[in-house]
Each structure stands twice: as C-alpha cells, then as structure tokens.
Amino acid sequence: MDVLVPLLQLLVLLLTLPLHLMALLGCWQPLCKTYFPYLMAVLTSKSNRKMEGKKRELFSQIKGLTGASGKVDLLELGCGTGANFQFYPPGCRVTCLDPNPHFEKFLTKSMAENRHLQYERFVVAPGEDMRQLADGSMDVVVCTLVLCSVQSPRKVLQEVQRVLRPGGVLFFWEHVTEPHGSWAFMWQQVLEPTWKHIGDGCCLTRETWKDLENAQFSEIQMERQPPPFKWLPVGPHIMGKAVK
C-alpha cells in the first residue's frame, strides 16, 4: 500500500497539473481566498442540516459560562460564514477571527439573521497570532473545522489558552485522519497534496486529538463522529470541549 501512494499522488498531480502550476506561480492562492467563502457557504449549510442535533447539544453548554459582565464573551476562531451563530444561546457577545477577509460579507449576513447575538468585531488574523485580543478576555472559544488548515495547531491552542479566562472553555469540532493502514487513509494520503490547494490549506491526515491532549487543558471531553459526507475525503470528526 505504501508503494502505491507516491504513484497515485503523481497521477492525481498530472490530472490536476494546471492547479499546481497556478499555485507554484502564486496565482492560485488569491483566487482560492475569493471563491472559498462561497464553497463554504454551501457546504456548511448542508453540514448543519446533517449535524444540527449534535451541534445544538454541544453549544447548549455555552449558556452556563457567563463571565463577570453578565454575558458570554465568545470568540469564534476561523469563523468562516458564521454557520454556527444559530446554535449560540442569547446573550453572547461574539468576536470573529479569520485570516480571510472575504468572509466578512457572509458574517454580516449571518449576524443580521441572528439578532439574539451581539456582534463585537471581525478580526482578520491567523489563529497563531491573536495579539489583537487581550489575555483572559474570552469566556468561550469555538473552533470548528479550523485546526485542519492552520500552519501550527500547537501555536493556535497556545493562543486559545492565552485569551481564555481561567475556567473558560474551548468547544471544538474537527475532522481527523482515517485509521492508519486503512484504504481510506491511503486515499487521504494520495489526495492531500491537491486537496490542500482546493481546501485553502486543509490537511486530511492530522491527528488533532493529540494536539488537544498535549495543550495542557485541565479537562477534555471528546467523542468521535462519522464524517457527514461520504463522498468527500475528510475522515471522522472529533467533537467536545476543553477547559482551561
């Protein structure tokens, strides 16, 4: 199986050669940043319909995390189109952070549709460098389908620890690698170099649960879920919470 991977990677590269050439010449990334929000708007809408019950169950726990202000100061990391807003309880003051400025118009629309929330601001920055946010300023951080595409999950989780107040909670929902040695894992390896370009840096084979376990949270609750779309190469999902 290991011998097949580089051969199949080469075949996929040849089939998608124009994409790789555009990436090499620096033309693909600006195009991807522009179209990716539209792709995510479609996929997150479909995903929400499939995962609505589990998302409501997960985010219902936010209600009890009110800070000193009497409201919940919530940071959504890699906020995308704001697809999670509908699941947040009333009284949340939401700060959105994403490195892609093209998501802002989708966020504005999502906030207009979710008047039960108070929209604070949109910060254009990578998760590895959230210097615009003060230490201990957040009661809750939400991170869904984000750690697959950041440069360093370890640094992102360090920043999450910094901005959370003591007792604050990270709620996460991430896709992870298929079991090593499986045919599904082999296809993830084959497709990953091309998928990274299509998915704005998305890595298919990350073991994100290990990053969470090594991030020195005081408590972690985690469960696995099957992937919502069998026709995509993304693997199983992990969902849960981690307490600072």
Side-chain angles (χ1 to χ4, degrees), residues 11-13 30 37 73-74 98 104-105 116 126 136 141-142 146 151 157 166 170-171 191 193 201 209 236:
L11 176 61
V12 173
L13 187 150
D73 287 306
L74 185 152
D98 201 289
E104 186 166 17
K105 69 177 182 180
H116 64 291
V141 175
V142 172
V146 172
Q151 292 293 316
L157 292 171
L170 165 68
F171 291 92
L191 295 171
W209 68 90

Side-chain angles (χ1 to χ4, degrees), residues 8-20:
L8 290 171
Q9 281 181 337
L10 180 59
L11 176 61
V12 173
L13 187 150
L14 291 172
L15 291 172
T16 57
L17 190 57
L19 186 156
H20 289 277

Side-chain angles (χ1 to χ4, degrees), residues 141-186:
V141 175
V142 172
C143 179
T144 61
L145 304 180
V146 172
L147 295 177
C148 59
S149 58
V150 298
Q151 292 293 316
S152 171
R154 179 182 61 83
K155 289 182 179 178
V156 171
L157 292 171
Q158 285 176 347
E159 280 289 85
V160 168
Q161 287 266 23
R162 180 183 66 78
V163 302
L164 276 174
R165 63 164 172 82
V169 178
L170 165 68
F171 291 92
F172 58 87
W173 188 302
E174 299 289 337
H175 71 79
V176 295
T177 180
E178 294 280 4
H180 287 207
S182 66
W183 283 101
F185 175 65
M186 186 202 76

Side-chain angles (χ1 to χ4, degrees), residues 1-242:
M1 194 178 289
D2 289 342
V3 178
L4 278 175
V5 170
L7 295 174
L8 290 171
Q9 281 181 337
L10 180 59
L11 176 61
V12 173
L13 187 150
L14 291 172
L15 291 172
T16 57
L17 190 57
L19 186 156
H20 289 277
L21 287 175
M22 289 176 69
L24 186 64
L25 295 171
C27 304
W28 176 255
Q29 190 67 5
L31 179 62
C32 180
K33 291 291 184 187
T34 302
Y35 89 78
F36 193 65
Y38 293 92
L39 175 62
M40 289 305 295
V42 173
L43 288 178
T44 53
S45 176
K46 292 179 180 296
S47 177
N48 274 350
R49 287 197 291 272
K50 283 180 170 286
M51 311 303 293
E52 181 176 358
K54 281 293 183 181
K55 280 197 170 186
R56 290 199 184 280
E57 178 186 333
L58 180 65
F59 295 135
S60 66
Q61 301 173 71
I62 292 173
K63 187 182 295 186
L65 295 168
T66 305
S69 65
K71 294 182 177 293
V72 177
D73 287 306
L74 185 152
L75 168 67
E76 177 145 4
L77 180 61
C79 54
T81 61
N84 290 324
F85 292 169
Q86 62 182 294
F87 303 113
Y88 297 155
C92 292
R93 298 194 299 202
V94 181
T95 298
C96 299
L97 183 140
D98 201 289
N100 188 344
H102 295 288
F103 276 116
E104 186 166 17
K105 69 177 182 180
F106 292 90
L107 287 175
T108 303
K109 180 176 181 292
S110 291
M111 272 297 169
E113 295 169 350
N114 292 276
R115 297 293 187 180
H116 64 291
L117 305 175
Q118 181 179 330
Y119 183 39
E120 292 293 289
R121 58 175 172 151
F122 176 48
V123 179
V124 180
E128 293 90 343
D129 183 8
M130 297 191 280
R131 67 183 70 183
Q132 298 180 60
L133 304 175
D135 295 3
S137 59
M138 295 293 160
D139 304 305
V140 169
V141 175
V142 172
C143 179
T144 61
L145 304 180
V146 172
L147 295 177
C148 59
S149 58
V150 298
Q151 292 293 316
S152 171
R154 179 182 61 83
K155 289 182 179 178
V156 171
L157 292 171
Q158 285 176 347
E159 280 289 85
V160 168
Q161 287 266 23
R162 180 183 66 78
V163 302
L164 276 174
R165 63 164 172 82
V169 178
L170 165 68
F171 291 92
F172 58 87
W173 188 302
E174 299 289 337
H175 71 79
V176 295
T177 180
E178 294 280 4
H180 287 207
S182 66
W183 283 101
F185 175 65
M186 186 202 76
W187 281 110
Q188 285 185 322
Q189 290 178 293
V190 169
L191 295 171
E192 188 165 66
T194 300
W195 185 259
K196 282 183 180 179
H197 294 310
I198 298 170
D200 199 16
C202 175
C203 298
L204 296 169
T205 58
R206 283 192 173 164
E207 300 174 322
T208 305
W209 68 90
K210 293 182 179 179
D211 296 306
L212 288 160
E213 290 167 351
N214 294 330
Q216 299 184 328
F217 287 99
S218 64
E219 176 190 350
I220 298 178
Q221 296 178 16
M222 187 187 312
E223 66 178 77
R224 284 183 174 251
Q225 295 289 328
F229 303 114
K230 299 295 185 183
W231 48 273
L232 289 176
V234 296
H237 289 49
I238 54 172
M239 59 171 285
K241 66 179 183 178

